[in-house]
Amino acid sequence: MTYCAGRSKAIVEYSFNGKIKIFETDLVPIEVEKIEPENSGVCWRFTGQGVGNNSYYEHFACGQSPSYVSNGAGLNLFMDGAMIQSSGYYYRFGTNSLSRVDKMSAGNNLITSGNCDCLQDCEIKISKAGQIIFSDKGPCPVKFDVACDDDCPEGSHKCRHNKYPGYCCIPCKQTGQRINNIANKIR
């Protein structure tokens, strides 16, 4: 989609996993493309003590729904309803922990297995007339809004403000939801 035709500048506010960044250019009009890999996802770190010894193990796996399932003697590792290690790999009850991770980093003195191959970066590309003028990568998901000149992005309202640049943009949908939430609490 083309943005800011007939204008003097474009301001792209974008975010990777909620961390907001801004790119501004006088090379208008622009096209904005976001690339989100199909297999990007969530990586989980399972840890625990092996049942047959005193060693501590960690296993990294990608998916949406991690869990431990008791086999009577210990806890097997499951992801999205499927066992992710052999039936002989299980943790002692009470030593298990589970955490979401942003990258695979092996713990000290732990025996490590698995991977975080699902953690691919998303990308945003900004181009003019088919030529890329800017690109950036970061953790998924990627979101963006485009404002032209001193206008606000679509779906927001411009309000005067006493600090630079003299105005701010208020997102209509989120503001409306907040007002409705406050009204519901008052009732």
Side-chain angles (χ1 to χ4, degrees):
M1 181 172 180
T2 301
Y3 299 91
C4 303
R7 301 296 191 92
S8 61
K9 71 177 176 180
I11 303 162
V12 181
E13 183 179 283
Y14 64 99
S15 66
F16 291 113
N17 198 22
K19 184 178 179 186
I20 296 173
K21 298 181 178 185
I22 294 176
F23 171 75
E24 189 172 324
T25 182
D26 296 333
L27 302 172
V28 289
I30 61 169
E31 297 87 33
V32 181
E33 176 186 14
K34 66 179 187 175
I35 302 163
E36 296 180 302
E38 281 185 34
N39 63 343
S40 73
V42 179
C43 190
W44 299 90
R45 178 178 180 256
F46 296 82
T47 59
Q49 184 179 16
V51 171
N53 58 40
N54 290 326
S55 296
Y56 276 81
Y57 296 84
E58 65 183 344
H59 184 81
F60 293 88
C62 295
Q64 297 300 319
S65 182
S67 62
Y68 289 100
V69 176
S70 174
N71 64 14
L75 299 167
N76 290 109
L77 287 55
F78 277 72
M79 182 63 73
D80 299 331
M83 188 182 302
I84 56 174
Q85 280 285 31
S86 69
S87 60
Y89 183 101
Y90 53 95
Y91 297 154
R92 186 180 311 265
F93 290 104
T95 66
N96 56 301
S97 70
L98 181 63
S99 58
R100 181 179 176 159
V101 294
D102 294 327
K103 63 181 178 179
M104 182 176 165
S105 55
N108 293 336
N109 302 320
L110 298 176
I111 300 168
T112 304
S113 62
N115 64 59
C116 285
D117 287 347
C118 60
L119 294 176
Q120 295 185 21
D121 282 341
C122 283
E123 184 174 10
I124 189 167
K125 291 183 181 181
I126 301 171
S127 56
K128 176 180 171 55
Q131 298 294 313
I132 296 172
I133 58 173
F134 177 80
S135 69
D136 195 5
K137 290 183 176 184
C140 296
V142 60
K143 295 180 181 178
F144 73 91
D145 285 308
V146 179
C148 304
D149 295 333
D150 287 332
D151 292 339
C152 290
E154 187 176 313
S156 63
H157 180 75
K158 187 174 184 177
C159 296
R160 300 255 178 244
H161 195 275
N162 59 359
K163 293 185 181 176
Y164 179 83
Y167 66 92
C168 62
C169 298
I170 307 292
C172 297
K173 184 176 181 182
Q174 292 91 333
T175 304
Q177 289 170 342
R178 288 181 187 149
I179 291 169
N180 286 336
N181 289 339
I182 292 168
N184 288 334
K185 288 179 182 178
I186 293 172
R187 290 181 193 167

